[in-house]
């Protein structure tokens, strides 16, 4: 039995509605001052005047069904039929239809290689990553180009769509990484000639727009080569992208090298490690780990920049959209096409930037002082 | 052989033969050898390329040199800030393209900066809706390729505007149709130069007053309302002169004449789309930079300023902004550089910038690939280096002065 003299606290009361709950939230976040009220009303007015129209156009009045350009004749809304019918073209370009399973296999492999890297723990994650940087591009090249093991050859001129965008950006980043590391080491070298060569190389590529690099690769590269030697268009674009990207990569890696405390360099020297061993075993593993977010950000920039190859006549995902919307049979479907392409890029870039942010938070422990 | 201090004679005095290391193991010798080797390989590489290029150009019948710049161009350019028609030389196309590039970059930098600062501050707003709207803007625009955005504005928006007769109209002075945007053009009368002179005098006066006020404050601690004085000199003085001289400025308002507009200033849709996309895209990046810069100033600084009795406005101007600018400026510089380089995407929609006119049409007509690519790249390198030089200079002035 409860002792009547014993102190029993009253049950806790809910906080007053003026300091907690939705009403208080609204007051604190939307209506805290006259200026805030005015801004809230302004934004609400903006949303009310724009959002219903967009929903109407994109969902309520949109057409998805149908199997030809005529399906959209009567509609006022978006013509998603166009996207549905051209979807394969946007993904594969002119890659021959019976061979498209090869692209699917490559995309599946890509998912298997890249997916584990996003997980915090996965058995053999490091080895899968190493496989992705070394053997994987070769397997992909073999599969996509064909001509071996009874696979019919598919010339690179037929590659296109999202697949080409992925190939360009993946190869660009994988090839630029080692060159970038070498350039960054060269830029921090004590040998003046090596340093000068690296600085000039990096600054030239970083100082000019990617378009001019691509133009140079497509117009000037054939002039540089001995007569009779000729690269195909895709390879020339890739060389341009790799040169350009390795300069940016070098600056990212240099940031990491500079972030390593001097004691680490001295420790490596004190252990009697030579330059290459000291760099390879002590400095680079730490520096590269620190700059992974920077590398991901470079990759995002490269991924968006691959759209520029359409200017030298390659058929990336934006180029397939561009080629489809000028088709007079379809009327004006530019907005739908661009929205689709934008969505493709947005999903990749937003996902990667979120990944790089979370990585940054996770890695922001060791060298924080 | 000179005695090397490292291999000095042992203590017992018996001169030991200096055991010099094998030159192969001497780091200095190796460094020199390595550098000579690298230089040699680079020279060989460049020489091969040079020879190949000469041979290739000869076999294609292309003459080397810059003589082609004197030849008549024979093609028209959509928009030019200087006199140009088909009879001008290829050298002139270079100037036209360069000026167009500088125009779009300069305007783009100005708009992107203003927009970026507004959105960056909105992102930190206490108002939840405003902050989320800014976030949505940033995350959408930043993650979609710029070229796609340029295409969107050009092909999906501006090119689908109605024809001149059904132009969209704003206040009877601004018209938009599929041939461009028409703005009223200011027409200054002779007396207008008095207003300009008043404006210049106002700016000079403000600078002088600001100097004097700072000196007086340093000496006596007396503040002087420089802001109000400056406002009076820069805005009110020219305004009064403008009224006194009898409003010597009229506007040439565009008007529909026949099938097209006459008068006013026409902004071609290519420029509009490029400028719009460039500024909106870069503004998203600048907004993030501004946000990071403001957040980098620790709250203790605000509290310290308040504890010293500074008002919120003064705190913002004299404590927070100067410290935030130090973080903001280096990445802001690289965004300006990016915008300038990205303006070369003009070539995709046919805005006549340097790459589109010179590296595109002129190169196709003359085939002088090496000279033209080198000239174009030199221009971008010069712009890049000079912007980063200027910004480094400013950065040094803003940097933490350790005493």
């Amino acid at each position: 039995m409860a002792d009547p003299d014993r102190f029993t606290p009253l049950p806790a009361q809910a906080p007053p509605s003026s300091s907690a709950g939705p009403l208080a939230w609204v007051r604190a976040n939307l209506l805290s001052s006259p200026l805030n009220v005015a801004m809230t009303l302004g934004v609400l007015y903006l949303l009310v005047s724009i959002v219903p129209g967009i929903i109407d156009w994109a969902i309520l009045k949109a057409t998805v069904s149908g199997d030809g350009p005529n399906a959209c004749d009567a509609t006022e809304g978006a013509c998603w039929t166009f996207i549905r019918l051209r979807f394969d073209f946007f993904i594969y370009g002119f890659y021959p239809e019976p061979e498209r399973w090869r692209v699917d296999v490559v995309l599946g492999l890509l998912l298997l290689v890249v997916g584990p890297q996003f997980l915090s723990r996965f058995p053999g994650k490091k080895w899968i990553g190493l496989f992705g940087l070394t053997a994987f591009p070769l397997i992909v090249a073999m599969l996509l180009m064909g001509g071996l093991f009874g696979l019919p050859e598919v010339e690179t001129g037929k590659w296109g769509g999202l697949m080409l965008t992925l190939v360009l950006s993946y190869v660009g980043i994988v090839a630029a990484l080692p060159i970038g590391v070498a350039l960054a080491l060269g830029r921090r070298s004590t040998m003046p000639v090596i340093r000068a060569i690296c600085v000039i190389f990096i600054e030239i590529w970083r100082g000019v727009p990617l378009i001019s690099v691509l133009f140079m690769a497509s117009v000037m590269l054939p002039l540089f080569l001995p007569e009779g030697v000729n690269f195909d268009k895709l390879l020339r674009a890739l060389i341009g992208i790799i040169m350009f990207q390795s300069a940016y990569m070098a600056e990212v890696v240099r940031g990491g090298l500079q972030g390593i405390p001097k004691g680490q360099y001295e420790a490596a020297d004190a252990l009697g490690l030579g330059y290459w061993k000291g760099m390879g075993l002590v400095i680079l593993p730490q520096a590269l780990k620190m700059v992974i977010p920077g590398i991901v950000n470079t990759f995002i920039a490269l991924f968006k920049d691959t759209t520029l190859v359409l200017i030298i006549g390659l058929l990336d995902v934006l180029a397939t959209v561009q080629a489809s919307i000028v088709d007079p049979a379809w009327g004006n479907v530019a907005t739908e096409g661009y929205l689709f392409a934008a969505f493709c890029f947005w999903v990749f870039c937003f996902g990667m930037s979120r990944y790089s942010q979370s990585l940054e938070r996770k890695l922001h422990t060791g060298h924080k002082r | 052989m000179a005695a090397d201090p490292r291999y000095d004679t042992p203590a017992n005095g018996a001169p030991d033969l200096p055991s010099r290391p094998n030159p192969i193991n001497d780091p200095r010798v190796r460094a020199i050898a390595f550098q000579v080797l690298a230089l040699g390989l680079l020279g060989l590489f460049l020489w091969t390329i040079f020879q190949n290029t000469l041979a290739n150009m000869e076999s294609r019948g292309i003459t080397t040199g810059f003589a082609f710049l004197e030849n008549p161009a024979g093609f028209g350019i959509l928009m030019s800030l200087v006199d140009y028609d088909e009879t001008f030389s290829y050298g002139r196309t270079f100037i036209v393209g360069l000026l167009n590039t500088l125009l779009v970059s300069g305007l783009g930098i100005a708009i992107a900066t203003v927009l970026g600062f507004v959105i960056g501050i909105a992102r930190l707003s206490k108002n939840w809706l405003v902050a989320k709207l800014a976030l949505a803007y940033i995350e959408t625009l930043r993650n979609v390729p710029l070229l796609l955005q340029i295409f969107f504005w050009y092909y999906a928006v501006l090119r689908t505007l109605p024809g001149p007769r059904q132009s969209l109209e704003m206040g009877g002075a601004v018209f938009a149709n599929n041939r461009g945007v028409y703005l009223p053009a200011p027409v200054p009368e002779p007396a207008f130069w008095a207003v300009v002179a008043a404006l210049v005098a106002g700016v000079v006066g403000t600078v002088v007053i600001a100097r004097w006020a700072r000196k007086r404050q340093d000496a006596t601690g007396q503040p002087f309302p420089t802001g109000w004085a400056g406002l009076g000199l820069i805005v009110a003085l020219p305004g009064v002169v403008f009224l006194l001289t009898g409003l010597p400025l009229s506007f040439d308002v565009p008007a529909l004449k026949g099938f097209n507009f006459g008068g006013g200033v026409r902004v071609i849709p290519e420029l509009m789309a490029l400028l719009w996309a460039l500024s909106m895209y870069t503004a998203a990046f600048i907004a993030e930079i501004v946000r990071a810069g403001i957040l980098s100033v620790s709250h203790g600084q605000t509290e310290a300023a308040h504890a010293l009795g500074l008002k919120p406005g003064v705190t913002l101007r004299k404590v927070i902004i100067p410290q935030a600018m130090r973080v903001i400026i280096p990445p802001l510089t690289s965004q300006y550089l990016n915008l300038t380089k990205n303006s070369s995407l003009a070539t995709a929609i046919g805005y006549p910038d340097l790459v589109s006119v010179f590296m595109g049409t002129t190169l196709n007509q003359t085939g002088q690939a090496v000279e033209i690519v080198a000239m174009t790249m030199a221009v971008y390198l010069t712009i890049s280096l000079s912007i980063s030089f200027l910004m480094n200079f400013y950065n040094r002035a803003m940097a933490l002065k350790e005493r």
Side-chain angles (χ1 to χ4, degrees), chain B residues 47 168 396:
Chain B
W47 177 249
L168 304 178
R396 217 170 298 138

mmCIF file of all heavy atoms in Angstrom, chain B residues 47 168 396:
data_model
loop_
_atom_site.group_PDB
_atom_site.id
_atom_site.type_symbol
_atom_site.label_atom_id
_atom_site.label_comp_id
_atom_site.label_asym_id
_atom_site.label_seq_id
_atom_site.Cartn_x
_atom_site.Cartn_y
_atom_site.Cartn_z
ATOM 1 N N TRP B 47 59.013 16.407 -80.700
ATOM 2 C CA TRP B 47 59.637 16.455 -82.009
ATOM 3 C C TRP B 47 58.903 15.532 -82.986
ATOM 4 O O TRP B 47 58.615 15.904 -84.116
ATOM 5 C CB TRP B 47 61.118 16.076 -81.875
ATOM 6 C CG TRP B 47 61.853 16.013 -83.188
ATOM 7 C CD1 TRP B 47 62.334 14.911 -83.805
ATOM 8 C CD2 TRP B 47 62.173 17.130 -84.028
ATOM 9 N NE1 TRP B 47 62.938 15.254 -84.978
ATOM 10 C CE2 TRP B 47 62.841 16.615 -85.153
ATOM 11 C CE3 TRP B 47 61.938 18.497 -83.955
ATOM 12 C CZ2 TRP B 47 63.289 17.420 -86.184
ATOM 13 C CZ3 TRP B 47 62.392 19.303 -84.987
ATOM 14 C CH2 TRP B 47 63.061 18.767 -86.082
ATOM 15 N N LEU B 168 4.918 37.876 -76.457
ATOM 16 C CA LEU B 168 4.618 38.111 -75.050
ATOM 17 C C LEU B 168 5.061 39.532 -74.733
ATOM 18 O O LEU B 168 6.092 39.980 -75.208
ATOM 19 C CB LEU B 168 5.389 37.129 -74.164
ATOM 20 C CG LEU B 168 5.182 35.663 -74.467
ATOM 21 C CD1 LEU B 168 6.053 34.817 -73.548
ATOM 22 C CD2 LEU B 168 3.728 35.286 -74.310
ATOM 23 N N ARG B 396 44.864 37.831 -51.123
ATOM 24 C CA ARG B 396 45.953 38.186 -50.244
ATOM 25 C C ARG B 396 45.563 39.409 -49.409
ATOM 26 O O ARG B 396 45.891 39.514 -48.233
ATOM 27 C CB ARG B 396 47.219 38.487 -51.060
ATOM 28 C CG ARG B 396 48.473 37.998 -50.367
ATOM 29 C CD ARG B 396 49.666 38.086 -51.299
ATOM 30 N NE ARG B 396 49.504 37.253 -52.471
ATOM 31 C CZ ARG B 396 49.836 37.643 -53.701
ATOM 32 N NH1 ARG B 396 50.303 38.854 -53.919
ATOM 33 N NH2 ARG B 396 49.675 36.827 -54.713
#
